[in-house]
Amino acid sequence: PAFMGSVEWKFENESIVVGMMQEMIESSGDAWVNMLDRLNDFNETILVSNRPPITAEKMGTLVDPVSYEMIPEEFKDLIDATTAEQASLLGIRTGEMHLALASGSAFPDFKPEPYSLHYQRSLYAGLQSLVRGTFLNQSKNLQKLDETAQGRAIEVLHMKDDILEVLKRIYKKKIDVIKIRIHGDYHLGQVLFTGKDFVITDFEGEPARSYSERRLKRSPLRDVAGMIRSFHYAAFGSLVLDSHIRKEDFTKLIPFVEQWYHYMSGFFMKAYLDTVKGSPFIPDNKEDLETLMTTFLLEKAIY
């Protein structure tokens, strides 16, 4: 939404912004509510029609996604073209946001910076700390979980060394990209849905981070990972947040929502990659792209 003006407290030769005004956007809610509505229809269709399990293998990957036209016919019946178009449109708007943020070379606070090997090593050090802190916290809280959740938590705790090994890939070789200012707290709840388009809001960054941290330049693929994590959260959240779905139906629905998440993330990713193709903040090769996306998705999951 367009910036309209601010209220500032001026003193001597400095000033502090204490309030701001933005354009009012007429919307029908945010993208989170919209996607949950789509998922509720999706789940209801499966339960009412008593669909047999999906037999076709998943097509495409996150770094090499397929278009709606390419997905198996049996799944096209479940994900309507309009929902797929919405995921693609969100990918386009996300790409346009990053292209705009990368274009501010005239302003020091927005001037892109190189993604150095030194930075990649420091990134891994931060991820190491995140893993250790999170896993220590989980170990301390094991006794508070019920038996089923406790078993799963122990299974995750045993993955610690494997996770750190995967994260080491971030500094194994120099990745030839740039860092830019990013949204920083990007998910479905930060996007308004007007009924025809998406409008991105809340650029203040992640509230848990300090102001100086929020202003740091990072890979925009962090935002992309945040949105993909949000698709995942919506897919599985649709089961537990809908009071009409019985727990005994979870087993039947989970394979379907996994497919929904896979393809919707793919539509979003394909549109994003097509929009930013050739930009200096996206790796030229798929191996580096996969390394960055795996790193940031793991970071989201651990966080």
Side-chain angles (χ1 to χ4, degrees), residues 47 53 87 101 139 145 168 204 208 223 259:
L47 292 176
L101 288 169
S139 300
L145 302 174
K168 276 181 187 174
E204 70 270 22
D223 284 343
Q259 294 262 349

Side-chain angles (χ1 to χ4, degrees), residues 113-125:
E113 296 173 357
Y115 210 76
S116 66
L117 196 54
H118 174 73
Y119 173 76
Q120 289 171 229
R121 285 200 184 96
S122 68
L123 188 59
Y124 175 70

Side-chain angles (χ1 to χ4, degrees), residues 45-63:
T45 300
I46 293 160
L47 292 176
V48 169
S49 61
N50 200 24
R51 293 253 175 171
I54 294 283
T55 54
E57 286 188 21
K58 290 175 187 166
M59 298 180 69
T61 65
L62 206 52
V63 298

Side-chain angles (χ1 to χ4, degrees), residues 59-181:
M59 298 180 69
T61 65
L62 206 52
V63 298
D64 197 11
V66 296
S67 63
Y68 178 73
E69 292 71 29
M70 302 268 303
I71 69 172
E73 286 299 325
E74 62 180 308
F75 215 71
K76 261 189 205 168
D77 294 341
L78 291 170
I79 295 184
D80 63 274
T82 303
T83 307
E85 283 168 11
Q86 287 178 2
S88 295
L89 181 58
L90 188 54
I92 292 168
R93 295 291 176 258
T94 304
E96 290 171 343
M97 170 181 71
H98 288 150
L99 289 171
L101 288 169
S103 68
S105 298
F107 307 96
D109 287 337
F110 284 86
K111 188 177 181 180
E113 296 173 357
Y115 210 76
S116 66
L117 196 54
H118 174 73
Y119 173 76
Q120 289 171 229
R121 285 200 184 96
S122 68
L123 188 59
Y124 175 70
L127 291 167
Q128 258 188 321
S129 298
L130 176 67
V131 170
R132 284 171 182 156
T134 305
F135 276 62
L136 180 63
N137 186 52
Q138 182 66 89
S139 300
K140 288 178 180 176
N141 286 291
L142 272 179
Q143 301 311 314
K144 297 178 183 177
L145 302 174
D146 64 44
E147 193 175 332
T148 304
Q150 196 175 100
R152 289 179 179 176
I154 290 168
E155 191 179 336
V156 172
L157 288 172
H158 286 155
M159 295 178 187
K160 182 180 174 183
D161 291 341
D162 294 334
I163 289 169
L164 287 170
E165 198 59 40
V166 171
L167 292 174
K168 276 181 187 174
R169 289 169 55 195
I170 197 62
Y171 72 87
K172 287 288 175 73
K173 61 174 280 205
K174 169 81 168 64
I175 299 175
D176 191 21
V177 289
I178 59 169
K179 295 183 289 178
I180 63 170
R181 288 287 290 274

